[in-house]
Amino acid sequence: MRTLVLAAAAALLVTGCSAEPETPPPPPSIDFSVAAKTVSAKPFLYCTVEINECKRDTTAQVKLEAAPGTPVRVRVPKQVADTPWSVVIQYRTAAGEQREPETVATFGPGKQDTFEAKPPAAGDQLQTVEVKQAGGKLVQGESGPEAVTRGVWSAAVEPA
């Protein structure tokens, strides 16, 4: 009987050691749309929740065409919508002034899965629309603790 118990324990130990690690799910894609045209973007930066391992894909930025004043719709999957996420835009004013990137929306977990990124004024031209997903790590920011970005998806917007 003792030999049988030892053999079963040894089999469990060998099975446990030889089991392959669980493969993480693939990174989610995000949809960017202008009028009837939709493109799906892979993340150009995607990290583990703890931000201890990150992968970059410098070819992941998608391209869209939009006339000045035209918004870009963003749709995130549940995997992103169930976490804090934000939308950042960069644009050129109708007068030709280049503006720095600015966060135009931030959402809590499960609050929203779509957003329409609009240029601030009718003649302004969006140039970049990005979605940033917060990770599970905090750092001290200027106004208190801030979540480190886990994932970034980007669309370059060309004038139509």
Side-chain angles (χ1 to χ4, degrees), residues 18-112:
S18 65
E20 295 195 23
E22 194 174 310
T23 304
S29 292
I30 290 183
D31 292 336
F32 295 92
S33 304
V34 173
K37 170 131 176 135
T38 299
V39 292
S40 202
K42 298 182 299 181
F44 74 79
L45 172 69
Y46 199 70
C47 306
T48 59
V49 172
E50 302 83 19
I51 321 295
N52 54 18
E53 184 180 325
C54 298
K55 293 182 180 172
R56 293 183 190 275
D57 180 352
T58 56
T59 65
Q61 187 180 52
V62 295
K63 293 184 179 2
L64 284 169
E65 287 187 359
T70 303
V72 173
R73 287 182 313 283
V74 175
R75 185 174 189 289
V76 303
K78 184 172 176 33
Q79 188 176 349
V80 174
D82 284 348
T83 67
W85 63 284
S86 59
V87 178
V88 177
I89 65 168
Q90 186 169 12
Y91 66 97
R92 183 179 304 276
T93 67
E97 297 172 49
Q98 182 65 49
R99 297 297 181 160
E100 293 295 316
E102 65 180 79
T103 301
V104 293
T106 301
F107 306 102
K111 298 291 182 193
Q112 195 160 330

